[in-house]
Amino acid sequence: MTQPHRSAVINLYKTLLYLGRDWPQGYDLFRKRLHKVFMKNSEETNPEKIKIMIKHGEFVVKEIEALYKLKKYRAMKRRYYDDN
């Protein structure tokens, strides 16, 4: 893995770990699964495939952020609006 890819992968890993703190099933489960996925792909040397995997990881970050925002929106809506 070249140096630019290495730093991008490490930043992606740190970002996902940070987002995993609020994971509904718990941080430990999230961290274990994340580590497993990154270790599975750690031997990849093809730069194009690494770029594709980084793009997929960035997509996952956006999806997780969207889920968290939706969760917060629903909680706020329940507080301020009564269903009756």
Side-chain angles (χ1 to χ4, degrees), residues 15-24 26-27 30 68:
T15 302
L16 286 167
L17 274 179
Y18 179 78
L19 289 173
R21 293 180 309 145
D22 295 330
W23 194 249
Y27 177 71
F30 185 88
Y68 288 165

Side-chain angles (χ1 to χ4, degrees), residues 12 50-62:
L12 179 64
I50 293 172
K51 285 181 186 177
I52 291 170
M53 287 189 279
I54 290 171
K55 292 234 185 249
H56 179 71
E58 290 169 353
F59 173 77
V60 169
V61 167
K62 289 179 184 176

Side-chain angles (χ1 to χ4, degrees), residues 63-77:
E63 289 293 312
I64 291 173
E65 288 173 345
L67 287 173
Y68 288 165
K69 287 179 183 178
L70 181 64
K71 180 181 173 185
K72 288 179 183 180
Y73 168 76
R74 287 180 177 167
M76 188 172 65
K77 187 176 176 184

